[in-house]
Amino acid sequence: MPSATSAVPFASPYFDEARSAEVVNARMSENADARLSQVMSVLVKHLHAAVKEVEPTHEEWFTAIRFLTETGQMCTDWRQEYILLSDVLGVSMLVDAINHRRPSGATPNTILGPFYVANAPEYPNGANICLDGKGEPMVVEGRVTDIEGNPIPDAKLEVWQTNDDGFYDVQQKGIQPDSNLRGVFTSDAEGRYWFKSVKPRHYPIPSDGPVGKLLAAIGRHPNRAAHLHFIVTAPGFDPVITHIFTPDCPYLPEDAVFGVKRELIAEFNKIDDPEAGERVGVLSPFWSVSWDVTLATSAKPTRAIP
Ligand code: BEZ
Ligand code: FE
């Protein structure tokens, strides 16, 4: 029979290759915040496992350190290269998916991106957000409803997109009119909204920094599938941060930040009818898009893995 003390296996506090993660995690104070302890110990476990699988040379490890250093150095008030890294690695979409498990039928979220601007101009339904006159005219209309199909009046719909040259207004201050292709609309008593704009086009994410170099080195392009951003909010409902995608964009299956979801690919109908154009106040031909938004009631996210 082993004695009471010999039953406890002796765990050396000294570093060794086989037990490396265990040795590091054993140093965690029992008084540390429980969630932080969990996060750090999982991180150490998986980081050590990755290093053991890859077996980097010192030179390779230093390349990784230099990449992370340059990623930090690229960050300014206007440029968040770490979020871009999280985006191109699919982590932003994964964190969002974990935190927004909605009932079926509810409009899903996708990536927010760095070009959202709070307090964009508020417009009446029917207004045109395209202020530079470039691009193919488009009319978007739809309803905001709950899961049962009941209209949600007074929902706020914030929308923004690039211009036809593939840049957001904030990327071209002084070149594009301020607040070009962004605006806030409010659904009417029947939950309806509508506005005019131009058909979105694909464009590259900022690729002049370390993340762009990494993408090029692993043979990936920086292009986002053509889309129009929406944030839809209404009291008592879970806010939706989403896009609609054009169905004809060649980058749908290879969006640089994995933002495409099948439910977010809209139908774009080309209308070649001058009278119809006149009725809605655009030149024919124009694109007509019908896009309903279904909001789920606010609920705390559930955690799948304890
Ligand atoms: C965007 O759609 O605006 C965007 C999303 C992720 C990274 C860069 C841009
Ligand atoms: Fe975008």
Side-chain angles (χ1 to χ4, degrees):
M1 279 282 280
S3 73
T5 46
S6 67
V8 180
F10 172 72
S12 166
Y14 302 120
F15 190 89
D16 78 69
E17 185 180 332
R19 296 174 50 255
S20 64
E22 202 185 304
V23 171
V24 172
N25 279 334
R27 293 273 179 97
M28 195 97 67
S29 164
E30 281 175 8
N31 301 324
D33 174 82
R35 180 70 170 155
L36 179 63
S37 289
Q38 182 200 14
V39 169
M40 287 311 298
S41 61
V42 169
L43 202 65
V44 165
K45 185 171 97 182
H46 289 283
L47 184 59
H48 281 235
V51 170
K52 283 173 188 178
E53 189 172 340
V54 172
E55 298 196 332
T57 62
H58 281 291
E59 209 185 358
E60 286 169 335
W61 186 238
F62 189 68
T63 301
I65 302 277
R66 195 168 46 226
F67 169 78
L68 293 173
T69 305
E70 286 169 5
T71 299
Q73 286 166 341
M74 194 77 196
C75 294
T76 65
D77 284 351
W78 300 104
R79 175 80 177 252
Q80 230 306 348
E81 196 75 357
Y82 275 112
I83 297 183
L84 204 60
L85 180 59
S86 152
D87 294 346
V88 302
L89 296 180
V91 179
S92 302
M93 284 299 288
L94 180 58
V95 171
D96 188 71
I98 289 167
N99 284 281
H100 294 100
R101 298 187 181 114
R102 298 206 170 107
S104 102
T107 302
N109 263 25
T110 187
I111 205 151
L112 173 66
F115 301 117
Y116 168 70
V117 175
N119 303 317
E122 296 197 18
Y123 291 113
N125 278 307
N128 193 344
I129 58 170
C130 177
L131 308 180
D132 66 1
K134 295 181 180 176
E136 301 172 47
M138 171 180 79
V139 178
V140 184
E141 58 82 24
R143 283 179 82 215
V144 185
T145 67
D146 65 15
I147 295 275
E148 278 83 41
N150 302 306
I152 303 179
D154 292 324
K156 277 216 173 317
L157 299 104
E158 298 177 79
V159 298
W160 69 104
Q161 66 177 94
T162 65
N163 76 347
D164 205 49
D165 297 326
F167 294 100
Y168 288 91
D169 56 346
V170 289
Q171 292 176 289
Q172 290 194 315
K173 283 183 188 289
I175 299 174
Q176 291 188 38
D178 286 347
S179 299
N180 190 27
L181 291 152
R182 64 176 77 237
V184 184
F185 295 87
T186 305
S187 61
D188 70 10
E190 276 137 32
R192 295 200 176 279
Y193 74 91
W194 66 102
F195 62 91
K196 286 172 257 181
S197 185
V198 286
K199 187 172 187 245
R201 48 152 291 166
H202 67 80
Y203 66 88
I205 59 171
S207 60
D208 56 342
V211 170
K213 274 194 221 146
L214 174 67
L215 286 183
I218 59 174
R220 278 177 53 184
H221 63 71
N223 294 319
R224 289 229 55 206
H227 60 273
L228 167 63
H229 292 258
F230 276 78
I231 296 180
V232 185
T233 47
F237 293 91
D238 194 12
V240 170
I241 298 174
T242 197
H243 303 354
I244 57 178
F245 291 92
T246 67
D248 55 356
C249 181
Y251 293 108
L252 280 177
E254 44 187 78
D255 181 50
V257 297
F258 304 93
V260 181
K261 291 180 176 173
R262 199 177 292 278
E263 307 94 299
L264 301 178
I265 304 172
E267 245 184 64
F268 279 62
N269 293 309
K270 195 163 195 175
I271 313 283
D272 198 350
D273 177 348
E275 275 177 24
E278 217 169 291
R279 274 198 299 278
V280 285
V282 290
L283 285 177
S284 177
F286 65 97
W287 294 94
S288 169
V289 183
S290 184
W291 178 252
D292 292 338
V293 181
T294 308
L295 300 183
T297 45
S298 315
K300 281 236 167 300
T302 49
R303 193 167 282 158
I305 304 155

